[in-house]
Amino acid sequence: MCRWLAYSGTPVLLDSVLYRPAHSLIDQSLHSRMGVETTNGDGFGIGWYTPGLPTPAVVRDTGPAWNNRNLREISSHIRSHLFFAHIRASTGSAIQQTNSHPFRHGRWLWMHNGAINDFHRLRRDLCLRIDPSLFADIEGSTDSEVMFFLALTYGLDQDPPAAVARMAGHVESLGREHGVENPLQMTIAVTDGEGIWVFRYSSERRSRSLYYSAEVETLRGLHPDLTFLDELSDDSRLVVSEPLSGLPGAWIEVPEATYGLVRGSGDFLQPFVPLSEETVAVR
């Protein structure tokens, strides 16, 4: 599988999150504690937003993150208020640059940990559901990118939770038609540069790990010795596949079958339920 993180808040240098924590994402690329694989070396990517520019920048590569000099160089010089980072462990698709996350379309970024089981059997039918006007923009061969373009087809621009729910419902319905047991496993982050939507769900109700950071004000009270917290605004938050440190009280697990919005202070978590085509039609 994979590991990822999403940050929103006070503009910070990317390396302050990617490299400096005790169990940073770079450390997780070699020593993941909660992933299916200990090593995530099948590519990496970062995507970030710059105020005043209409689309995010994306840098992706096929090698491991732990020894990439270019990643080290740019992350110590790029400051952003919202960014994604992903380290990949392939579930079968090719190790190539276009298969590394995050994926971009217009102002949207998308990254995923998990898999569509038996994707090779479902791929054709899933792709036929993608809006023809979007299909030509698919660059890679992963299930993750197909999920993204299905969500775009189902109205990601208008209603992200409903679009992802319809995508998940379609994957599960199609999986059942093909006799695939537990078709979907996903933790997803998606953003338009304003809010970050996160989703944790699997057909078998045993989803991959996902955590978000406690509010900065809470962390200041728990750890007054961490002076760098004084530099962060109260609405700064991280969502991660696994905690970046062992600080007590710093990390809160996203519950099973849940989605949420990271934007400003306060937590917004709701149950996540896939929407079948029948349910959408009734609505």
Side-chain angles (χ1 to χ4, degrees):
M1 296 295 176
C2 309
R3 305 278 83 183
W4 57 255
L5 66 80
Y7 173 83
S8 175
T10 300
V12 296
L13 287 171
L14 271 59
D15 80 332
S16 66
V17 177
L18 295 183
Y19 286 91
R20 296 182 193 177
H23 189 46
S24 68
L25 197 68
I26 303 304
D27 182 65
Q28 290 175 33
S29 66
L30 277 169
H31 307 295
S32 173
R33 300 167 185 168
M34 297 181 177
V36 175
E37 298 88 4
T38 301
T39 304
N40 297 271
D42 295 332
F44 69 86
I46 54 174
W48 69 94
Y49 290 83
T50 302
L53 297 181
T55 59
V58 173
V59 172
R60 301 183 292 179
D61 208 341
T62 56
W66 64 75
N67 67 355
N68 191 282
R69 295 181 64 183
N70 289 330
L71 177 63
R72 184 84 196 207
E73 179 72 15
I74 64 177
S75 66
S76 62
H77 288 80
I78 293 171
R79 192 181 299 271
S80 178
H81 68 287
L82 196 160
F83 58 87
F84 281 7
H86 187 281
I87 51 176
R88 184 171 183 239
S90 173
T91 56
S93 55
I95 299 172
Q96 59 192 47
Q97 194 176 84
T98 54
N99 283 344
S100 293
H101 308 220
F103 301 102
R104 176 180 60 191
H105 189 270
R107 71 181 189 275
W108 290 93
L109 288 177
W110 171 284
M111 59 185 177
H112 166 235
N113 173 35
I116 296 176
N117 290 328
D118 285 346
F119 177 59
H120 64 287
R121 295 171 55 194
L122 308 182
R123 181 180 177 184
R124 177 181 179 275
D125 289 343
L126 289 172
C127 287
L128 287 174
R129 272 301 176 94
I130 295 171
D131 188 318
S133 68
L134 296 170
F135 189 81
D137 294 330
I138 297 176
E139 297 183 322
S141 59
T142 64
D143 51 359
S144 303
E145 191 175 16
V146 168
M147 292 164 67
F148 180 27
F149 277 79
L150 281 169
L152 287 165
T153 298
Y154 287 137
L156 190 65
D157 274 321
Q158 291 77 41
D159 189 340
V164 175
R166 290 184 67 188
M167 175 276 293
H170 180 58
V171 171
E172 290 195 320
S173 295
L174 187 63
R176 287 192 291 269
E177 290 177 17
H178 286 262
V180 177
E181 186 177 2
N182 300 321
L184 185 59
Q185 174 72 243
M186 68 179 207
T187 61
I188 288 169
V190 59
T191 181
D192 59 358
E194 297 182 11
I196 300 173
W197 294 92
V198 296
F199 301 83
R200 184 184 186 214
Y201 177 79
S202 63
S203 303
E204 59 183 324
R205 303 302 192 271
R206 295 177 59 193
S207 300
R208 302 294 179 244
S209 57
L210 192 63
Y211 293 80
Y212 63 99
S213 61
E215 293 186 1
V216 172
E217 184 178 359
T218 300
L219 292 175
R220 290 191 191 107
L222 290 170
H223 304 282
D225 55 316
L226 300 180
T227 57
F228 74 89
L229 293 172
D230 297 333
E231 302 171 11
L232 299 181
S233 62
D234 289 344
D235 62 354
S236 297
R237 305 298 283 274
L238 270 164
V239 185
V240 297
S241 292
E242 58 186 80
L244 305 184
S245 70
L247 291 175
W251 302 100
I252 304 163
E253 185 175 14
V254 176
E256 176 67 45
T258 298
Y259 75 93
L261 174 64
V262 180
R263 180 166 58 191
S265 59
D267 305 325
F268 172 77
L269 294 174
Q270 295 288 328
F272 179 79
V273 180
L275 291 175
S276 65
E277 295 300 313
E278 295 78 10
T279 302
V280 173
V282 169
R283 284 180 146 194

